[in-house]
């Protein structure tokens, strides 16, 4: 037994200090015996209004991630889960692999990242031709597209919401996300993938899957699914999409 509230697993979850969505989405799944300990990456300047701003934001993440990991490790977690996604896509497949290896080396723990979780989810769902959206600027969307193409997927379209600050990501309304999905969807698109962990999309993605008849993957659902299944926890979750409900 790990501890009384997390006898099955304790996941260390690394999130930006501006993120209000990841922990909500994980706890919302209502998994008995699974607990989360967040380590927070300090973001003193959350502006991300253009490509240069986004580079600067990524620099803040890189400068503070070690401290966030250090803090989460004090809870003695069983796995590290990256509750931020842009950095995990940076540098394509090789960049993600190097990032994961650095984290494994520094923590001695298995690792779940958004990039790897989305790749595994698409394989589990049998989808190859995808459309992707994010809250990012073009420089980050290019990195996301590169990762998926290098991972063997056909990216039919990718679009960013160009959120002006990191906090504004969590302020995007469901109707706006529905409109983005409608713009991206088409008969040749097998799955819609959302990245950017501060977008509140899990419940909306679940609704859209039923309406569109195809997978709509919210990244927070994908990372939780990956962490659970890799840890040997096979619980099915309702209300969080087909991935957690059926796979």
């Amino acid at each position: 037994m790990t501890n009384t509230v997390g006898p099955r697993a304790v996941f260390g979850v690394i999130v930006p200090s501006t993120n209000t969505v990841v922990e909500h989405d994980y706890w919302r799944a209502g998994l008995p015996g699974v607990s989360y300990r967040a380590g927070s990456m300090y973001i003193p300047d959350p502006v991300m209004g253009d490509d240069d701003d986004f580079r600067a934001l990524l620099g803040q993440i890189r400068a503070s991630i070690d401290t966030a990991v250090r803090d989460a490790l004090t809870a003695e977690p069983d796995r590290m889960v990256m509750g931020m996604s842009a950095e995990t896509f940076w540098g394509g497949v090789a960049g993600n692999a190097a990032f994961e290896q650095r984290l494994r080396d520094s923590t001695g723990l298995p690792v779940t990242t958004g990039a790897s979780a989305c790749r595994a989810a698409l394989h589990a769902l049998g989808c190859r031709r995808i459309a992707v959206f994010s809250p990012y600027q073009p420089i980050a969307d290019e990195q996301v597209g590169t990762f998926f193409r290098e991972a063997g997927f056909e990216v039919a379209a990718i679009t960013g919401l160009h959120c002006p600050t990191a906090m504004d990501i969590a302020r995007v309304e469901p109707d706006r996300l529905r409109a983005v999905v409608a713009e991206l969807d088409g008969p040749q698109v097998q799955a819609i993938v959302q990245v950017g962990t501060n977008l509140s999309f899990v419940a909306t993605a679940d609704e859209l899957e039923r309406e569109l008849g195809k997978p709509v993957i919210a990244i927070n659902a994908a990372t939780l699914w990956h962490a659970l299944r890799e840890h040997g926890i096979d619980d099915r979750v309702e209300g969080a999409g087909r991935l957690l409900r059926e796979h």
Side-chain angles (χ1 to χ4, degrees), residues 48-237:
M48 46 178 272
D50 57 26
D51 283 351
D52 288 339
D53 288 342
F54 200 93
R55 287 191 191 94
L57 184 73
L58 202 61
Q60 295 176 71
I61 287 171
R62 290 168 178 166
S64 59
I65 189 170
D66 288 345
T67 300
V69 169
R70 179 204 66 188
D71 293 350
L73 284 174
T74 63
E76 298 183 350
D78 302 296
R79 169 178 289 269
M80 298 302 298
V81 181
M82 297 311 299
M84 45 77 72
S85 57
E87 176 73 334
T88 75
F89 287 98
W90 220 265
V93 168
N96 176 64
F99 177 85
E100 289 183 348
Q101 190 60 54
R102 289 195 302 272
L103 199 56
R104 283 193 294 267
D105 289 345
S106 66
T107 65
L109 295 174
V111 173
T112 287
T113 65
S116 287
C118 287
R119 176 174 55 192
L122 288 165
H123 284 307
L125 293 163
C127 299
R128 181 176 176 274
R129 184 174 171 84
I130 64 175
V132 186
F133 74 95
S134 81
Y136 304 148
Q137 297 296 334
I139 188 174
D141 287 335
E142 290 171 10
Q143 297 289 326
V144 173
T146 294
F147 172 86
F148 282 119
R149 293 184 186 99
E150 290 181 354
F153 301 101
E154 185 178 350
V155 181
I158 183 167
T159 189
L161 299 175
H162 304 171
C163 291
T165 74
M167 287 90 70
D168 286 321
I169 299 172
R171 296 169 181 150
V172 179
E173 297 285 347
D175 286 348
R176 173 66 177 125
L177 300 179
R178 282 179 161 274
V180 171
V181 171
E183 293 167 6
L184 290 172
D185 190 29
Q188 301 305 312
V189 173
Q190 296 174 315
I192 307 289
V193 181
Q194 170 258 325
V195 303
T197 62
N198 206 22
L199 277 177
S200 182
F201 188 59
V202 171
T204 303
D206 181 66
E207 295 169 359
L208 285 167
E209 280 191 326
R210 300 171 193 275
E211 295 168 16
L212 300 177
K214 65 182 64 177
V216 180
I217 300 171
I219 195 165
N220 291 344
T223 53
L224 180 59
W225 168 82
H226 184 273
L228 292 169
R229 301 303 183 254
E230 289 290 302
H231 201 68
I233 297 174
D234 197 36
D235 295 33
R236 275 19 184 189
V237 177

